[in-house]
Amino acid sequence: MRNQRRLSLRPANRLRVLDPATGESLGVVADVSATGLRLLTTEPIEAGVCLNLCLELQLVPGRVRLLELEVACRWSRRNFSARRYEQGVKLLAPSAEFTRFVANLSGTRAAARGEPV
């Protein structure tokens, strides 16, 4: 049973995922939780593989911050309707910066719904 709140991102708000070694885009983030992410990519990632990723955070228009993450792929499946692959990745060592990012994101969503933060 899921005990972590998962935040889904609309296509316009999705964060790009980059390969830190090359700077190339690997895909986008579809869902975020305190312990992991669901990624949408054009190529599959094998379950069990550990890798380093960067999230591209847009602070203000034209200003980007890269947030480095170390993750392990837990599962991977093909989404035929979207012609992409979905991967569930778990953070191996969530940084304080990532924890703040998720807290800010969930606080923003709660405030938009009129819920107490």
Side-chain angles (χ1 to χ4, degrees):
M1 178 135 180
R2 183 183 304 273
N3 62 1
Q4 292 288 325
R5 185 173 192 177
R6 183 179 63 199
L7 302 166
S8 296
L9 301 175
R10 293 188 173 122
N13 299 331
R14 290 194 174 145
L15 306 170
R16 284 190 343 143
V17 179
L18 306 174
D19 179 338
T22 64
E24 291 183 29
S25 177
L26 299 174
V28 294
V29 175
D31 295 326
V32 178
S33 76
T35 59
L37 310 165
R38 182 170 59 101
L39 306 178
L40 301 177
T41 64
T42 56
E43 297 294 325
I45 300 172
E46 187 177 334
V49 170
C50 295
L51 58 149
N52 294 317
L53 304 173
C54 283
L55 293 185
E56 188 178 72
L57 306 177
Q58 180 119 14
L59 304 174
V60 294
R63 189 163 167 230
V64 173
R65 168 105 168 91
L66 297 180
L67 178 60
E68 293 187 27
L69 305 173
E70 185 178 356
V71 301
C73 183
R74 304 292 291 214
W75 56 267
S76 181
R77 67 177 174 231
R78 186 161 186 194
N79 182 328
F80 288 97
S81 62
R83 299 198 314 214
R84 291 188 178 199
Y85 291 88
E86 297 180 19
Q87 277 83 211
V89 297
K90 178 181 180 180
L91 282 105
L92 297 177
S95 66
E97 187 175 10
F98 181 80
T99 304
R100 281 192 304 276
F101 165 70
V102 174
N104 288 340
L105 188 60
S106 61
T108 301
R109 298 275 168 95
R113 290 189 305 269
E115 299 173 3
V117 180

